[in-house]
Amino acid sequence: MRTDSPQTIYRKNYTPPSFLVESVELGFDLDPARTIVANRIKLVRNRDGKHSDIELHGEHIELVGVRMNGKRLKPGQYTLSEHGLTIRKAPAKVTLDIETVLAPQENTSLSGLYVSNGNFFTQCEAEGFRRITFFPDRPDVMAKYTVMLRADKEKFPVLLSNGNLIEQGELGDGRHYAKWEDPFKKPSYLFALVAARLVCQEERYTLQSGREVLLQVWVEEGNLDKTDYAMQSLKNSIRWDEQRFGLELDLDRFMIVAVGDFNMGAMENKGLNIFNTKYVLANPRVATDVDYAGIEAVVGHEYFHNWTGNRVTCRDWFQLSLKEGLTVFRDQEFSADMIGTDTGRAVTRIDQVRTLRQAQFPEDAGPMAHPVRPDSFVEINNFYTVTIYEKGAEVVRMMQTLVGRDGFRKGMDLYFARHDGQAVQCDDFRAAMADANGRDLKQFERWYSQAGTPVVKAVTQYDAAAQTYHITLAQSCPDTPGQTAKLPFHIPVAVGLLGADGKDLPLYTDGAAGQGTVVLELTEATQTFHFSGVAQRPTPSLLRDFSAPVVLDYDYSDAELLHLFSHDSDPVNRWEAGQRLAMARLLKLTADVGAGAPLALDATFIAAQRALLTDATLDAAFRELALILPSETIIAERMEVVDPQAIHTARQFMRRSIAAALKPELLAQYQANQTPGAYSPDAQSAGKRALKNLALAYLLIAPQAAELELAQRQFDAADNMTDRAAALAALIHSGAPDGAASALKSYFADFEHEALVIDKWFAMQAGAPGTDVAAVRKLMTHPAFTLKNPNRARSLIFNFCGGNPSQFHAADGSGYAFWAEQVIALDALNPQVAARLARSMDRWRRYVPALQAHMKAALERVAGSASLSNDVLEVVSKALAN
Ligand code: B3K
Ligand code: ZN
């Protein structure tokens, strides 16, 4: 057990930096075993600072020497600790020369400067720069950087850093150099360098203003056939930000570099974005439709950070959602606009709702729950969460709903007019939105300060004689760690009323007359909204387009849900009605499994599924989404006491019943949604493939020879990874061992040298209900498996612990023991990745007592292990805390 207790950092203790940095000159002598970093910083005393000590962060680096204004500092003049270096009572203007030594090839944490496949990369957000040199490594210290890179020319022919290349040349003895200058002030977390053997696809691109810029996508040589889509996405992102927000690329050169070892998706370093290969590399042979969509979204996301994050950055890390929530919102809007159709837009919205329910609502209800702007943390890297990102995006979206699309643009313009070049707070963004629109958004602030998912309970009343309709909305929010008795939120609730013919009724309500939808603003604990001129008892369509990240509680009858499911003009609520129909039945089935009662599925539900599946007036993408049943995780969230086996049995029963009842229709849809001709990742074709492959998966539940043959044929004939992987997954899930085994073998042989495809190979097996702990352990001994590569670790271990509930929650606790072992093993290599895995035990208190006991033991085993990182310690201590 470790003895020092990790420090909690509080938002309320923020103090301005004592010194500001005017300029930074960095010199790197790059060597994998021993890299020397020379750092010259010019500092000036900050007028807002509280004292005259210079505080520099520094971790896991060796200090060779420090000079202040040219004179070597003697040991008594500074103090050096595990976390940094302090120079007491420094003069008001100081030049420091600091030399450090590091060993990039030993750095398995992938934070700071590290080596991946023989090449150098950096990752500095949040606090990685301090692993490179001593520096005030906090986002409110912004400075101009000049960077000199020196390295062996043969091994590292490409030397990149932020900004513009201003000089390059030979050094003799086989080494060369490159000097880069970033014209923009930036916080240290946006610093980056790459020294590597890479090649690039490049293109000159003309901005709307007529200025020409150079765009590059850098990859390893064998991957040059997989860069087109990232380049296209980058150009689309640049154009979109010009058109939607009037924001132009401010550099002459913009680079994307792909790396195989990376802790997350990508990083928005100024002018030099570094990406996980997963979000760059694509061609039809290796990437699925989902991969293509991911690339478009992440390329957009990182590009959009150039304004929301880089030009205007965060004052401190508690403000992380200022840049992340806003930038996720921007990338969501970008993806939706790229599809362009109303249903396409709705399909992206439904995806967002699914992510919230699958990951954010559970986080909000668990031990790691935190507000969008947290009050405290132990390890900031643990706070790159679905709450900061996805709920943060919902909060921004609600502001747009409240002030309208044009009002939102005005708010953005004011935000940049006020804060360009500054490090600011979430409150500043809200103030810009409020001021630009003359709106009071004070109460709205609670979305930033209060954690937990609000519940909105709706009750309706129709008065036929008076032709009035009343909707009473009551809101509440559960307690979360450290927060009780929450105050009411400002919640936009978009509402429509359907008549018997399924059409929207005209709306006459207190303040507003609406065509089909009005946005009710719920600000009190309970509020009643009145509608007049309602000629018939309507069916309410509540929370259209998922207008707020809340749980809507309304006692719908089956008849009402079926009506909405077939007619709602809001596609998101159409989908939602289907989910409600399915969820009610899944909860009942789960209870029946627990009680040993016979299981049955009603004909009404089957008929609704049939109608949906065969309704050719609906987009294939929408039908596919609407046919996906709520996941086992989402069902679990609806239960007081979770029995994962019962949930699994119930859901499988429902799938089997649907498959058995709709076999001819499934087969017909399988045929009708083929996409002959050259592969294209566009939304229309991707939607067809998704529906076709959903049909295939259903057909492969309890398959006969004909269905197995169908899957095998698709697997053999597929000219694209979407269809090939779907066929393989269907074979694996069918439980027909022979077909799956040979397909797995040939798939591996075909793609042995495509790391991202092998990740899928592991992932598909990890998530299959037939894969138990023993099988996962066996897969870990496969020569292609390694814990050191985060993508690979995620593909097998995370997908098992988080994506295979019926096996992970095995009654004997073997899944949890496995989890504990892997968390501990990963922590020794890479604490950030280990801490993510540690989160799979968040909801342990919700499970049946027998499982809880095993889970607690596993958590205690991790908590008690020697030399644990702060990252993992924070997660497991919070899970165990009362
Ligand atoms: N800003 C980075 C995330 C950095 C995570 C550090 N642990 C990626 C992004 O959100 O764009
Ligand atoms: Zn981001």
Coordinates of all heavy atoms in Angstrom, one line a residue, residues 741-795:
A741 N -14.3 -20.0 -36.6 CA -12.9 -20.3 -36.5 C -12.1 -20.1 -37.8 O -11.0 -19.5 -37.8 CB -12.7 -21.7 -35.9
S742 N -12.6 -20.7 -38.8 CA -11.9 -20.5 -40.1 C -11.9 -19.1 -40.6 O -10.9 -18.6 -41.2 CB -12.3 -21.6 -41.1 OG -13.6 -21.1 -41.6
A743 N -13.0 -18.4 -40.4 CA -13.0 -17.0 -40.9 C -12.0 -16.2 -40.0 O -11.3 -15.3 -40.6 CB -14.4 -16.5 -40.7
L744 N -12.0 -16.4 -38.7 CA -11.0 -15.7 -37.9 C -9.6 -15.9 -38.4 O -8.8 -15.0 -38.4 CB -11.2 -16.1 -36.4 CG -12.3 -15.5 -35.6 CD1 -12.5 -16.2 -34.3 CD2 -11.9 -14.0 -35.3
K745 N -9.4 -17.1 -38.7 CA -8.0 -17.5 -39.2 C -7.6 -16.8 -40.5 O -6.6 -16.2 -40.6 CB -7.9 -19.0 -39.3 CG -6.5 -19.5 -39.2 CD -6.5 -21.0 -39.0 CE -5.1 -21.5 -39.4 NZ -5.2 -22.8 -40.0
S746 N -8.5 -16.8 -41.4 CA -8.2 -16.2 -42.7 C -8.1 -14.7 -42.6 O -7.3 -14.0 -43.2 CB -9.1 -16.7 -43.8 OG -10.3 -16.0 -43.8
Y747 N -9.0 -14.1 -41.8 CA -9.0 -12.7 -41.5 C -7.7 -12.2 -40.9 O -7.0 -11.3 -41.4 CB -10.2 -12.3 -40.6 CG -10.3 -10.9 -40.2 CD1 -11.3 -10.1 -40.8 CD2 -9.6 -10.4 -39.1 CE1 -11.5 -8.8 -40.4 CE2 -9.8 -9.1 -38.7 CZ -10.7 -8.3 -39.3 OH -11.0 -7.0 -38.9
F748 N -7.2 -13.0 -40.0 CA -5.9 -12.7 -39.4 C -4.8 -12.7 -40.4 O -4.0 -11.8 -40.5 CB -5.6 -13.6 -38.2 CG -4.4 -13.1 -37.4 CD1 -4.6 -12.3 -36.3 CD2 -3.1 -13.5 -37.8 CE1 -3.5 -11.8 -35.6 CE2 -2.0 -13.0 -37.1 CZ -2.2 -12.2 -36.0
A749 N -4.8 -13.8 -41.2 CA -3.7 -13.9 -42.2 C -3.8 -12.8 -43.2 O -2.7 -12.2 -43.6 CB -3.9 -15.3 -42.9
D750 N -5.0 -12.4 -43.6 CA -5.1 -11.3 -44.6 C -4.6 -10.0 -44.1 O -4.1 -9.1 -44.8 CB -6.5 -11.1 -45.0 CG -7.0 -12.2 -46.0 OD1 -6.1 -13.0 -46.4 OD2 -8.2 -12.3 -46.3
F751 N -4.8 -9.7 -42.8 CA -4.5 -8.4 -42.3 C -3.4 -8.3 -41.2 O -3.4 -7.4 -40.4 CB -5.8 -7.8 -41.7 CG -6.9 -7.7 -42.8 CD1 -8.0 -8.5 -42.8 CD2 -6.8 -6.6 -43.7 CE1 -8.9 -8.4 -43.8 CE2 -7.8 -6.5 -44.7 CZ -8.8 -7.4 -44.7
E752 N -2.6 -9.3 -41.2 CA -1.6 -9.4 -40.1 C -0.8 -8.2 -39.9 O -0.4 -7.8 -38.8 CB -0.7 -10.6 -40.5 CG 0.2 -11.0 -39.4 CD 0.9 -12.3 -39.7 OE1 0.7 -12.9 -40.8 OE2 1.8 -12.7 -38.9
H753 N -0.6 -7.4 -41.1 CA 0.3 -6.3 -41.0 C -0.5 -5.0 -40.9 O 0.0 -3.9 -41.0 CB 1.2 -6.2 -42.2 CG 2.0 -7.5 -42.2 ND1 3.0 -7.8 -41.3 CD2 2.0 -8.5 -43.1 CE1 3.5 -9.0 -41.5 NE2 3.0 -9.4 -42.7
E754 N -1.8 -5.1 -40.6 CA -2.7 -3.9 -40.5 C -3.1 -3.8 -39.0 O -4.1 -4.4 -38.6 CB -3.9 -3.9 -41.4 CG -3.6 -4.0 -42.9 CD -3.1 -2.6 -43.4 OE1 -3.0 -1.7 -42.6 OE2 -2.7 -2.6 -44.6
A755 N -2.3 -3.1 -38.2 CA -2.6 -3.1 -36.8 C -4.1 -2.8 -36.4 O -4.6 -3.4 -35.5 CB -1.7 -2.1 -36.1
L756 N -4.6 -1.8 -37.1 CA -6.0 -1.4 -36.7 C -7.0 -2.5 -37.1 O -8.1 -2.6 -36.4 CB -6.4 -0.1 -37.5 CG -5.5 1.1 -37.1 CD1 -5.8 2.3 -38.1 CD2 -5.8 1.6 -35.7
V757 N -6.7 -3.3 -38.1 CA -7.6 -4.4 -38.4 C -7.5 -5.5 -37.4 O -8.4 -6.2 -37.0 CB -7.4 -4.9 -39.8 CG1 -8.4 -5.9 -40.2 CG2 -7.5 -3.7 -40.8
I758 N -6.2 -5.7 -36.9 CA -6.0 -6.8 -35.9 C -6.7 -6.3 -34.6 O -7.2 -7.2 -33.9 CB -4.5 -7.1 -35.8 CG1 -3.9 -7.6 -37.1 CG2 -4.3 -8.0 -34.6 CD1 -4.6 -8.8 -37.6
D759 N -6.7 -5.1 -34.3 CA -7.5 -4.6 -33.2 C -8.9 -5.0 -33.2 O -9.5 -5.5 -32.3 CB -7.5 -3.0 -33.1 CG -6.1 -2.5 -32.7 OD1 -5.3 -3.3 -32.1 OD2 -5.8 -1.3 -33.0
K760 N -9.5 -5.0 -34.4 CA -10.9 -5.4 -34.6 C -11.0 -6.9 -34.4 O -12.0 -7.4 -33.8 CB -11.4 -5.1 -36.0 CG -11.4 -3.6 -36.4 CD -12.1 -3.4 -37.8 CE -11.6 -2.1 -38.4 NZ -12.0 -1.0 -37.7
W761 N -10.0 -7.6 -34.8 CA -10.0 -9.1 -34.6 C -10.1 -9.4 -33.1 O -10.8 -10.3 -32.7 CB -8.7 -9.6 -35.3 CG -8.6 -11.1 -35.3 CD1 -9.1 -11.9 -36.3 CD2 -7.8 -11.9 -34.4 NE1 -8.7 -13.2 -36.0 CE2 -7.9 -13.2 -34.9 CE3 -7.0 -11.6 -33.3 CZ2 -7.2 -14.3 -34.2 CZ3 -6.4 -12.7 -32.6 CH2 -6.5 -14.0 -33.1
F762 N -9.3 -8.7 -32.4 CA -9.3 -8.9 -30.9 C -10.7 -8.5 -30.3 O -11.3 -9.1 -29.5 CB -8.2 -8.2 -30.2 CG -6.9 -9.0 -30.3 CD1 -5.8 -8.5 -31.1 CD2 -6.7 -10.1 -29.5 CE1 -4.6 -9.2 -31.1 CE2 -5.4 -10.8 -29.6 CZ -4.4 -10.3 -30.4
A763 N -11.1 -7.3 -30.8 CA -12.3 -6.7 -30.2 C -13.5 -7.5 -30.4 O -14.3 -7.7 -29.5 CB -12.5 -5.3 -30.8
M764 N -13.7 -8.0 -31.6 CA -14.8 -8.9 -31.9 C -14.9 -10.1 -31.0 O -16.0 -10.5 -30.6 CB -14.8 -9.3 -33.4 CG -15.3 -8.3 -34.3 SD -15.4 -9.0 -36.0 CE -14.0 -8.2 -36.8
Q765 N -13.8 -10.7 -30.8 CA -13.8 -11.9 -29.9 C -14.0 -11.5 -28.5 O -14.7 -12.2 -27.7 CB -12.4 -12.6 -30.1 CG -12.2 -13.1 -31.5 CD -10.9 -13.8 -31.7 OE1 -10.8 -15.0 -31.3 NE2 -9.9 -13.1 -32.3
A766 N -13.4 -10.3 -28.1 CA -13.6 -9.9 -26.7 C -15.0 -9.7 -26.3 O -15.5 -9.9 -25.2 CB -12.8 -8.7 -26.4
G767 N -15.8 -9.2 -27.3 CA -17.2 -8.8 -27.0 C -18.2 -9.9 -27.2 O -19.4 -9.7 -26.9
A768 N -17.8 -11.0 -27.7 CA -18.7 -12.1 -28.1 C -19.2 -12.8 -26.8 O -18.4 -13.1 -25.9 CB -18.1 -13.1 -29.0
P769 N -20.5 -13.1 -26.7 CA -21.0 -13.7 -25.5 C -20.4 -15.0 -25.2 O -20.4 -15.5 -24.1 CB -22.5 -13.8 -25.8 CG -22.8 -13.0 -26.9 CD -21.6 -12.7 -27.7
G770 N -19.8 -15.7 -26.2 CA -19.2 -17.0 -26.0 C -17.8 -16.9 -25.5 O -17.1 -17.9 -25.1
T771 N -17.2 -15.7 -25.3 CA -15.8 -15.5 -24.9 C -15.8 -15.3 -23.4 O -16.3 -14.3 -22.9 CB -15.2 -14.3 -25.6 OG1 -15.3 -14.5 -27.0 CG2 -13.7 -14.2 -25.2
D772 N -15.3 -16.3 -22.7 CA -15.2 -16.2 -21.2 C -13.8 -15.7 -20.8 O -12.9 -15.5 -21.7 CB -15.6 -17.5 -20.5 CG -14.7 -18.6 -21.0 OD1 -13.6 -18.4 -21.6 OD2 -15.0 -19.8 -20.6
V773 N -13.6 -15.6 -19.5 CA -12.3 -15.1 -19.0 C -11.1 -15.9 -19.5 O -10.1 -15.4 -19.9 CB -12.2 -15.0 -17.5 CG1 -10.9 -14.4 -17.0 CG2 -13.4 -14.3 -16.9
A774 N -11.3 -17.2 -19.5 CA -10.3 -18.1 -19.9 C -9.9 -17.9 -21.4 O -8.7 -17.8 -21.7 CB -10.7 -19.6 -19.7
A775 N -10.9 -17.6 -22.2 CA -10.6 -17.4 -23.6 C -9.9 -16.0 -23.8 O -9.0 -15.9 -24.6 CB -11.9 -17.3 -24.4
V776 N -10.2 -15.1 -23.0 CA -9.5 -13.8 -23.1 C -8.0 -14.0 -22.6 O -7.1 -13.4 -23.3 CB -10.2 -12.7 -22.2 CG1 -9.4 -11.4 -22.2 CG2 -11.6 -12.4 -22.7
R777 N -7.8 -14.7 -21.6 CA -6.5 -15.0 -21.1 C -5.7 -15.7 -22.2 O -4.5 -15.4 -22.5 CB -6.5 -15.9 -19.9 CG -6.9 -15.1 -18.6 CD -6.6 -16.0 -17.4 NE -7.2 -15.4 -16.2 CZ -6.7 -14.5 -15.5 NH1 -5.5 -14.0 -15.8 NH2 -7.2 -14.0 -14.4
K778 N -6.3 -16.6 -22.9 CA -5.7 -17.3 -24.0 C -5.3 -16.3 -25.1 O -4.2 -16.3 -25.7 CB -6.6 -18.4 -24.5 CG -6.0 -19.2 -25.7 CD -6.3 -20.7 -25.6 CE -5.7 -21.4 -26.7 NZ -6.6 -21.5 -27.9
L779 N -6.2 -15.4 -25.5 CA -6.0 -14.4 -26.5 C -4.8 -13.5 -26.1 O -4.0 -13.0 -27.0 CB -7.2 -13.6 -26.8 CG -8.2 -14.2 -27.7 CD1 -9.6 -13.5 -27.6 CD2 -7.7 -14.3 -29.1
M780 N -4.6 -13.3 -24.8 CA -3.5 -12.4 -24.4 C -2.2 -13.1 -24.6 O -1.1 -12.4 -24.7 CB -3.6 -12.1 -22.9 CG -4.7 -11.1 -22.6 SD -4.8 -10.7 -20.8 CE -3.3 -9.7 -20.7
T781 N -2.1 -14.4 -24.8 CA -0.9 -15.1 -25.1 C -0.6 -15.1 -26.6 O 0.5 -15.5 -27.0 CB -0.9 -16.5 -24.6 OG1 -1.8 -17.2 -25.3 CG2 -1.2 -16.6 -23.1
H782 N -1.5 -14.6 -27.4 CA -1.3 -14.5 -28.8 C -0.1 -13.6 -29.1 O 0.0 -12.5 -28.5 CB -2.5 -14.0 -29.5 CG -2.5 -14.1 -31.0 ND1 -1.8 -13.3 -31.8 CD2 -3.2 -15.0 -31.8 CE1 -1.9 -13.7 -33.1 NE2 -2.8 -14.7 -33.1
P783 N 0.8 -14.0 -30.0 CA 2.0 -13.1 -30.3 C 1.6 -11.7 -30.7 O 2.4 -10.8 -30.5 CB 2.7 -13.8 -31.5 CG 2.0 -15.1 -31.7 CD 0.8 -15.2 -30.8
A784 N 0.4 -11.5 -31.3 CA 0.1 -10.1 -31.7 C -0.4 -9.3 -30.5 O -0.7 -8.1 -30.7 CB -1.0 -10.2 -32.8
F785 N -0.6 -9.9 -29.3 CA -1.1 -9.1 -28.2 C 0.0 -8.4 -27.5 O 1.1 -9.0 -27.2 CB -2.0 -9.9 -27.3 CG -2.6 -9.0 -26.2 CD1 -3.7 -8.3 -26.5 CD2 -2.0 -8.9 -25.0 CE1 -4.2 -7.4 -25.6 CE2 -2.5 -8.0 -24.0 CZ -3.6 -7.3 -24.3
T786 N -0.2 -7.2 -27.1 CA 0.7 -6.5 -26.1 C -0.1 -5.5 -25.3 O -1.0 -4.8 -25.8 CB 1.8 -5.8 -26.9 OG1 2.5 -4.9 -25.9 CG2 1.3 -4.9 -28.0
L787 N 0.2 -5.4 -24.0 CA -0.4 -4.4 -23.1 C 0.1 -3.0 -23.4 O -0.5 -2.0 -23.0 CB -0.1 -4.8 -21.7 CG -1.0 -5.6 -20.8 CD1 -0.6 -5.5 -19.4 CD2 -2.5 -5.1 -20.9
K788 N 1.3 -3.0 -24.0 CA 2.0 -1.7 -24.1 C 1.3 -0.7 -25.1 O 1.4 0.5 -25.0 CB 3.4 -1.9 -24.6 CG 4.3 -2.3 -23.4 CD 5.8 -2.1 -23.8 CE 6.7 -2.5 -22.6 NZ 7.9 -3.1 -23.1
N789 N 0.7 -1.3 -26.1 CA 0.0 -0.5 -27.1 C -1.5 -0.3 -26.7 O -2.3 -1.2 -26.6 CB 0.0 -1.2 -28.5 CG -0.8 -0.4 -29.5 OD1 -1.9 -0.8 -29.9 ND2 -0.2 0.7 -30.0
P790 N -1.8 1.0 -26.4 CA -3.2 1.3 -25.9 C -4.3 0.8 -26.8 O -5.3 0.2 -26.3 CB -3.2 2.8 -25.7 CG -1.8 3.2 -25.6 CD -1.0 2.2 -26.4
N791 N -4.2 0.9 -28.1 CA -5.3 0.4 -28.9 C -5.5 -1.1 -28.8 O -6.6 -1.6 -28.7 CB -4.9 0.7 -30.4 CG -5.1 2.2 -30.8 OD1 -5.5 3.0 -29.9 ND2 -4.8 2.5 -32.0
R792 N -4.4 -1.8 -28.6 CA -4.4 -3.2 -28.5 C -5.0 -3.6 -27.2 O -5.9 -4.5 -27.0 CB -3.1 -3.9 -28.7 CG -3.0 -5.3 -29.0 CD -3.8 -5.9 -30.1 NE -3.7 -5.2 -31.4 CZ -2.8 -5.5 -32.4 NH1 -1.9 -6.4 -32.2 NH2 -2.9 -4.9 -33.5
A793 N -4.5 -3.0 -26.1 CA -5.1 -3.2 -24.8 C -6.6 -3.0 -24.7 O -7.4 -3.7 -24.2 CB -4.3 -2.4 -23.7
R794 N -7.0 -1.8 -25.3 CA -8.4 -1.5 -25.4 C -9.2 -2.5 -26.1 O -10.3 -3.0 -25.7 CB -8.6 -0.1 -26.0 CG -8.2 1.0 -25.1 CD -8.6 2.4 -25.7 NE -7.7 2.9 -26.6 CZ -6.8 3.9 -26.3 NH1 -6.7 4.4 -25.1 NH2 -5.9 4.3 -27.2
S795 N -8.6 -3.0 -27.3 CA -9.4 -3.9 -28.1 C -9.8 -5.2 -27.4 O -10.9 -5.7 -27.5 CB -8.6 -4.2 -29.4 OG -7.5 -5.0 -29.2

